[in-house]
Every structure is written in structure tokens, then in C-alpha cells.
Amino acid sequence: MAANAQTIETVEGLAGEYKYGFVTDIESELLPKGLSEDTVRFISAKKGEPQWMLDWRLRAYKAWLRMAKEKGEPGWAKVSYPEIDFQDIHYYSAPKKKTLKSLDEVDPELLATYEKLGIPLKEREILAGVAVDAVFDSVSVATTFKGKLKDLGIIFCSMSEAVREHPELVQKYLGSVVPVTDNFYATLNSAVFSDGSFVYVPPGVRCPMELSTYFRINEAKTGQFERTLIVVDKGAYVSYLEGCTAPMRDENQLHAAVVELVAMEDAEIRYATVQNWYPGDKNGKGGIYNFVTKRGACRGARSKISWTQVETGSAITWKYPSVILQGDDSVGEFYSVAVANNAQQADTGTKMIHMGKNSKSTIISKGISAGKAQNTYRGLVRVMPGAAGARNYSQCDSLLIGDRCGGHTVPYIEVKNRSAKVEHEATTSRISDDQLFYCRQRGLSEEDAVSTIVNGFCKEVLQKLPMEFAVEAQKLLGVSLEGSVG
Amino acid sequence: MLEIKNLHATVDGKDILRGIDLTIKAGEIHAIMGPNGSGKSTLSYVLAGRDGYNVTQGDILFNGQSLLNLEPEERAREGIFLAFQYPVEIPGVANATFLRSAVNAVRKHRGLADMDAMTFLKTAKAKMKQLQMDEKFLQRAVNQGFSGGEKKRNEVFQMAMLEPALAILDETDSGLDIDALKIVAEGVNALRSPERSAMVITHYQRLLDYIVPDVVHVLSKGRIIKTGGKELALELEAKGYADIVADAA
């Protein structure tokens, strides 16, 4: 016990600073703080949106006002934070230069920022096989590989562009998985979403590269409201990567994104996230509030949606990437690593809604808690009456580091069909002094020892990530747990 | 190589080591024998620098340098290797990954470049062959699901890869059948050289038939009560500890 406490102190002494904590000095076009119908109109006008989009936003805004009045923010998650003043937030900011024909026109400072983050925005992309739709604050500044994708009939562009260029697709699918009135934050997002990515893969096309987007919050006090929509038609396939880091900031920043996925018959979508928003300092000051709604619909038979997430950042994470298994024999997967260190709070998990016959879902969740962090897995498995032969397997493992943190597992299981099979396993373990000493006796530093043990714990999830992401995620786990561990 | 001077150590406030003096020269193998609770394993942990094992008096010099202020990993990188009595499981971490990190940590300390993956694999496979270990062990998680004997063999494999200056084997023979014992002993003997030393902790003389020691020490109640040549082990085997402990008292 004494040894354990000592170890914790030693490691805390090593506490690393947030590596990506820098701020880019770019003139931003900033809308004054506050939220009103005028804010919504301003954003829509700024983007040159058609009337139907504005109407959609306004409908959402009105619904949100009702929600705010009646119930306020949802209070059921195991997280606590001071009430958010939604009038004290900027709802729009954009880098000033906007119409760019090539990378040469991109603000050099912006490029330097990407450079620091290791985002391949130049020829390196070709080697890496990654097309990047880089979202800097609210406006997409550079989109690459469009030509190559276009030849295949794949649309990969910013949401703003999609609203203008592909209104029929956007109108058909936007809000079809996460309805305008789904929940408080999703509704807010629907009213004021700034930008995001849009992907459409036509029938039978296998997207030959990993599509990826990097998000980054830069402007102080700017809420980020990304909106992403991915539609994969019959027999098509896409793998999408989303990764983010944010600069160090003293004030809490709200991030309320919505991601919708639609998979038609025999289609497959793999969506991987590495989330590394600024988590706040050791005492919980600052940091991002990450209130995200991510949901996929397996519309067609034999369709498949797979979510993989590595969540290491944010002061508060509230996120449940879900799958609605409508098609017969459809498959939903959720692989998650959630790290909460110092004063971080994470309440994350998934929902698997089985509607189609013989639909299958797998949930593998690895929660790591250190410092005085609270980490909750919250997951729903619901089998509807028509989902004969549905199967679910859930495994939720918690790893505790030190003795001041908490790991919680809250499974909800609702089965309304007798032929369904649902399994749930959960474990809680601790990094032992034995393991640490064993690693150190072999020459590994204490930090490397912790990183090694944690990476082993998360292996099942990490190996689901695309190669380049897996390497990054492994490093990130080490960095996130630096100075918190014992 | 190793000089232990009047070493006193406590665990949880209890005196376990009460004045140990011991010198191991380069190239020598010393056996430490003794009844249960005599402090054999504590000695190995104290040498390796485990937290919670507190040195209250005396000193440990390794190649003339005191170890007392060095962290466990620093001692390991200096060339001290402890083969654990109970090797620890690390779920999800491949043996190869773990061992390569260890090898490179030690190499870095010695100013050498990282061992690349190809060289590592080649070397590892050769050593495994010597120890009659299946190559599949490289991809299995560290000690997870290993039998007792497999764990011990894995310890000796790690030792062979790390080529320590001083190897401490803590009851490496326990849980081994006679065939495995011979293989493990061969592994240890293969490392014997004028520059390397070993401290072999064991209950039984049996292991010393295969790893022949230069010196045998008998430990009792935290002190070395008798030191002799390899024949001392035979005497212990014949008479039991009780007589020797009584003689010394």
C-alpha cells in the first residue's frame, strides 16, 4: 500500500504538459457571443444556404428553446459541471481567407499548425493514402483527393458544400438518423451547426482510401458544432477516420457534434475516432466539454457499421456511438478505449437497437481511470419484438490506476424477443505493483511500463484501428497517462 | 562485481535482512540456500530495488557504484537481472514486444542503437531454440496462460536476450520437472563467462548438480551463517537445514 502510494506520487511528479497546447494566431471572423434566431439566420446566410436549410435550422432552434425551457440539459449521465450559459458562447468563427484554389493559398501559419499536429496535407497524403478534409474551426479550408474520388462517383466534401451542390442527398438523409429533436445537444447542433464532412459512396463502390478529417478548436470561446453525414449505398464500403487535438485554453469550450451514418443493403461503414481534445489541467480547470451524438443506421439487409473510438481527451465526454440494426442480418460493432485522467469525466458507451432478424452486435469497451477521474460505461442493448435470432455480446473492462479514481459500468438490457441471445461480461482490475516492478526490472521506465500495460489492456480495440491510426493511438495512450499513474 | 556490506533491510517495518556481507567476483556463481523465511527472496528484491524493501543499514556496490539510490530500471540497465520466482502476467502485451522494449532500453543506456525488428527476431529465435521453446511464445502475451515451467523458461529466455552482468535466479527450479530443469540450467550455463556472475537462490541441491556454483552460502534469519564450496550444498541435502542452523547458533 505504502509502495503504491509512493509510486503514484512519483508518477504525478512527472506530470506532462498537454503536448498540443498551442494557439494559432490567425485573424478570425467572429460572430458576437449569444444565441438567437438572428444567430441562426446569420450562420445560414454566411454559408449561402438555400431556404430549406434555413427552415430546418429554425425548426431545430425552436425545438431547442422548448427543450431548454422544459427540461434543460440532460442530467442522467455521471458527470458534473457548472451550468452552461449558452448566451456566453460564440456560434460562428471562420478563418478570413475562404476561397482557396490550392494549398498555396492557405495561410502559411495554418499550414504550420497542421505541420505541428502531424497532419499530412501535402504530397505525403498520396504516400499515406489518406484524403484529408481539414476542418479548421468552422470552415473547411482544404479538401484533397477530390478528383480521384470523383472518378469513382464518391462525394467527399464539406457539409456546407454538400448543402449547395448535393441538396437532394442532404435533404433526404440529414436528420434521418438523428432527428432534429433527438436530444438537447443534437438539437442545438441542428440549429447552429457550423460545418463538417459529407460523404456519399455510390452502389457497389469500395472507397480505395481511408477518408479522414481532423478537427481542431482554435478560437477562444467558440462552440464547435460539427455536422457529419455519411451515406453508403448498396454494396459499397468506406472507412472514415476522425482525429482531433485542441490547443490549450483556460475556459471551457463546448463541443456538440452530430455524426449520422447510413448503410444500405450489403454496405459497410467503418468509423474510427481518436479524440484528444484539451482535457483541462490537473485540477480540472479548462478543457473541452464534448457532448456528441453519433449514430448509424443499418438500413439494408446484411449492412454493417463499426464504430471504433479512442477517447483520451476532453474535460467531459458524453458520447454514445450507436447502431440501429434495421436490416435483417445486419451487424453493429462498438470498440472503445476511454481514458480519464486527473479530473476528467467520461460517460460513454453505445446503443445497439436490434430490429432486423438475426442482427448481430458486439460491444468491447475498455475504460481506464487514473488520478481522481470518473469513467462510466453506459450501454443499451435493445432487442425489439421483430428481431428474431438477434445476438449481442458485450464485454466491458475497467482498469484502475491509483486509488482515487472510479470505473463504473451501467448496462441496460431490454429484450423483447425470446429467440434473442444477449451476453454481458464485465471486469475491473488494477495495474498492480507486481506488474510495474516486473517491467521496470526489465529496464522499462515507469512511464513506459504503464504505457505498455495499458496498451496490452486495450489491444482488442487498438487492433481494430487502421494501421497508421493504431500507432498514433498507442502513443496517445502513453502521453495521456503520463504523470497520472502508479 | 557485487559487494554487499552489512546489509540490513526491512519490509513493512519488520527486520528481514540483519547484516549480510557477500562478495561476488566477476565470473563466479554463488548459490544462496536456506530454509523458508530466511530472507532469500527479500535479498533478491532488495538487490533489484523493489519499492517497499527498505535498506536501513549497509550498502550494495555494483562494479564499485552504490545501487541504493538507483531506481529498479536503472539497476536493470546497469546489468542486473532478476529471474522472478513468480513471473508476472501482462495481458495483451506480446512477449516479443515486451522483450524488444526491454532489450532496447538496456541498449540505449549502453549507448547502442536500437536493435531492429529483424535482428531481434533472428536472435530471439536462436535463443528459443537453445531453450527448446516454441517460437509461438513470441506472440503470446507475457506469461499469460503459461504453465509454471513455461514461465520459468521464459524468464531464462529473457535473461539470455538481455545478457546481464549479474543474474539473480530466485528459485528458478521450483515447479520444473527434471527435463525442464536441465534445459534451464543449460541456458544459464550458456551465459557463463569470465565477465558475468550469477546468484542462484534455491531450496534444493538438485539445481546445483546442473548449475555448479563456485560458492554456497546458507542464509538463516537474515544472516549468512555458513559459506563453503559446492560440497556444502550436498551436506545440506544430507543433513537438512536444522543441523546447520543449530551449529551456527
Side-chain angles (χ1 to χ4, degrees), chain B residues 80-92:
Chain B
I80 293 179
F81 179 92
L82 171 61
F84 283 56
Q85 185 179 359
Y86 304 107
V88 180
E89 298 185 2
I90 310 176

Side-chain angles (χ1 to χ4, degrees), chain A residues 37-318:
Chain A
E37 198 172 304
D38 287 342
T39 319
V40 178
R41 287 180 186 280
F42 175 88
I43 294 169
S44 186
K46 204 78 195 158
K47 295 176 171 300
E49 287 177 354
Q51 186 64 36
W52 61 265
M53 194 69 248
L54 173 62
D55 292 344
W56 197 85
R57 286 177 181 274
L58 288 173
R59 208 162 62 239
Y61 176 65
K62 281 177 188 132
W64 183 78
L65 277 185
R66 263 199 318 278
M67 287 173 161
K69 202 172 151 193
E70 284 163 16
K71 275 194 187 160
E73 295 173 60
W76 44 264
K78 193 176 166 52
V79 294
S80 62
Y81 54 93
E83 209 177 319
I84 297 170
D85 181 355
F86 289 93
Q87 296 303 334
D88 194 34
I89 293 173
H90 290 288
Y91 288 86
Y92 185 83
S93 98
K96 269 198 168 164
K97 275 189 177 180
K98 277 194 298 180
T99 41
L100 303 166
K101 290 197 184 77
S102 77
L103 284 177
D104 302 338
E105 294 178 40
V106 174
D107 189 324
E109 221 178 310
L110 183 55
L111 288 179
T113 302
Y114 285 134
E115 197 85 35
K116 272 190 241 174
L117 288 170
I119 299 172
L121 204 71
K122 298 175 196 158
E123 280 79 3
R124 279 179 287 170
E125 295 159 33
I126 300 163
L127 299 169
V130 176
V132 179
D133 177 39
V135 175
F136 189 83
D137 271 13
S138 311
V139 170
S140 299
V141 288
T143 303
T144 42
F145 283 104
K146 253 189 211 165
K148 195 171 168 190
L149 294 171
K150 204 175 169 187
D151 291 344
L152 291 162
I154 296 170
I155 304 166
F156 177 37
C157 62
S158 72
M159 187 57 93
S160 310
E161 190 180 331
V163 168
R164 290 192 303 267
E165 309 289 328
H166 309 283
E168 69 297 338
L169 286 171
V170 176
Q171 270 184 293
K172 187 169 175 190
Y173 292 106
L174 189 71
S176 75
V177 187
V178 178
V180 164
T181 55
D182 190 78
N183 70 71
F184 188 83
Y185 303 115
T187 304
L188 177 62
N189 174 290
S190 301
V192 299
F193 73 83
S194 33
D195 213 333
S197 299
F198 175 80
V199 178
Y200 173 77
V201 188
V205 173
R206 201 180 159 83
C207 183
M209 61 185 90
E210 315 266 4
L211 298 182
S212 98
T213 302
Y214 284 80
F215 297 103
R216 186 170 165 80
I217 297 177
N218 189 265
E219 200 63 45
K221 290 229 151 189
T222 299
Q224 281 273 295
F225 302 96
E226 300 332 333
R227 186 88 196 192
T228 293
L229 174 61
I230 299 176
V231 180
V232 178
D233 221 320
K234 288 180 185 175
Y237 166 88
V238 75
S239 170
Y240 190 88
L241 314 180
E242 171 203 329
C244 34
T245 56
M248 187 175 288
R249 274 294 171 185
D250 225 9
E251 291 153 284
N252 291 309
Q253 293 175 299
L254 176 64
H255 180 79
V258 173
V259 176
E260 294 178 279
L261 310 182
V262 180
M264 309 308 271
E265 211 172 279
D266 293 302
E268 180 176 352
I269 303 176
R270 311 181 72 86
Y271 193 105
T273 307
V274 171
Q275 186 267 116
N276 185 27
W277 301 109
Y278 178 52
D281 69 11
K282 268 184 75 172
N283 301 312
K285 192 168 162 32
I288 305 293
Y289 289 178
N290 192 26
F291 302 144
V292 181
T293 304
K294 289 186 169 177
R295 195 176 301 155
C298 282
R299 293 260 159 91
R302 296 169 303 277
S303 54
K304 179 175 176 181
I305 290 179
S306 181
W307 297 101
T308 305
Q309 61 172 19
V310 176
E311 301 280 323
T312 64
S314 297
I316 302 175
T317 299
W318 180 98

